[in-house]
Amino acid sequence: MTKYVNHDLKVSPTPEEAARQTFMSSMRMYVLHDLANGMRTVYESEVEPKFERKNKRTPKDGVEVHRALKKDPTFKFYSSMRCNAQEMVFRSILPTVERSQDTLNKKAKALSRSKKANGTVETDPNFKVPRSVSAIDVHRMPGNYDTEYGPDDVTQGAVYDNGISVFSMGFFGENLDDIGSSISMFIKNKYPKFAPKRILDMGCTIGHNTVPWAKAYPKAEVHAIDVGAPVVRYGHARAQAAGVPVHFHQQNAEATDFEDESFDLIFSSMFLHEVPKKGIKKVFKEARRLLKPGGLMLHMELPPNKMLGAYDSFYLDWDSYYNKEPFYKPFRDMDPRAVCADAGFAKSKFVQYVIPSLGQYGEKAVKDSVKKQTGKADDQTGRFAAGIHWYCFGAWK
Amino acid sequence: MSTAGADKKPLRYSVRGKDTRFFSAEGVDELVAISMALAQELWVVKERLAAYEGLAAKKKVFTAKEIEGFKFTPAQRAKLDAESQAFIDRVFFTLRERVEGLAADPDEPAPPKEP
């Protein structure tokens, strides 16, 4: 199995494949820790002082840092190795998934029909996948979320599950659900009287961060949507394997089939930065339409540029330029408060939190953070490194 | 690359719209990719060697401690030292060639002009 894929859909890499996967986790750690810290040192000791001498001021934003740093060999090696590492992560798991393709499809079908949980899945053969997904291999994942290799195929779900297992280096937790687990625990403790009856996860991919919500609120009816048919099929089978009932649908969060005011909680994680700016606005309006009065919309994301210093903005925006995440920077340039207000949420109902990772800090730290919220992001927020915190924002309706 | 059978549609391994260019000099980006792939394959060999050592210890062929404590004879050592020099030279050949290239004969016939 890939290190963090231990459920019924786990695959069996050969020793050589497993060694390639282990190597890629280590290589990513080297790039994101050693090379990244080295690049920051070079920036602070050489590039920034040079900029300051020339301009009589420090760079004002991430774009100026980027421009100043991009000619430096440290930036070039960091970037080249990070792009390669990203692609090699997926190539390290593809042969294992490809060999297991038939078995995976059969197992997923059996789990989908099983009585381990009462979840459901709906896909639509006439569904139009938006070009922001169909025309690009987001974050260099060959096939993205939507490629289907045959009828009822789940391959891309397995590619994503096993890919992020190698990619995350443990920062997504043992079940790759640290984001959902940390945030649902936080919300439950922050708002003990809030008892959502219906929950929706938008852009759920394989539902790894949906399942924790269903566990946190076991009486709630939990729905999850994504535009990729293979990922919702896989997500359903994965949730069934965990014995957690979740209803998966192939739907676009910009315009869903659900009724007005039919959900108490609408969540997303790492979703908005993969949506074009126009789409994000539609997603927020749709969330507002779907929320019952008194309901909560909450999006886990990378922190916005305005919360970060120039270097950290550059560092996180790197993905937008080089990692097939074209909407990443436009999203991070948006003001979360303004986007919520534009969709009709009252400004006074805006919320944002920086929550410690449950996997890294433990339950007590997450609960303590309920009382100690500063609402400030720092260079540990959203970054895959020791001390990771998850940023989320949204609004009550 | 693909492990699919002849009757199956192979999975796509490459990313659409290859665009990872950072170095102005031709080929450097490819060399970075090749170096990383080589390092990965070397790691595969190291893990396989560790498996051999583990298995050898389990089967009581020899133990990891015996490997750690193994002493080459002076002749074996000298042979290995010479081989390691040659090994380093092979790996870093491009750096030697850069220096030796400076000693080119000024009368060296020029190749035809590139089209």
Side-chain angles (χ1 to χ4, degrees), chain B residues 25 85 100:
Chain B
Q85 293 285 321
E100 289 175 357

Side-chain angles (χ1 to χ4, degrees), chain A residues 345-363:
Chain A
F345 290 95
K347 280 184 181 167
S348 61
K349 299 285 186 180
F350 177 79
V351 291
Q352 63 180 352
Y353 309 109
V354 176
I355 300 166
S357 152
L358 177 62
Q360 273 194 36
Y361 290 92
E363 208 171 313

Side-chain angles (χ1 to χ4, degrees), chain A residues 142-158:
Chain A
N144 209 7
Y145 305 113
D146 61 316
T147 298
E148 293 184 76
Y149 290 94
D152 297 330
D153 185 44
V154 300
T155 306
Q156 287 309 109

Side-chain angles (χ1 to χ4, degrees), chain A residues 332-347:
Chain A
R332 294 186 55 256
D333 281 340
M334 291 171 109
D335 176 358
R337 207 177 286 266
V339 188
C340 292
D342 287 351
F345 290 95
K347 280 184 181 167

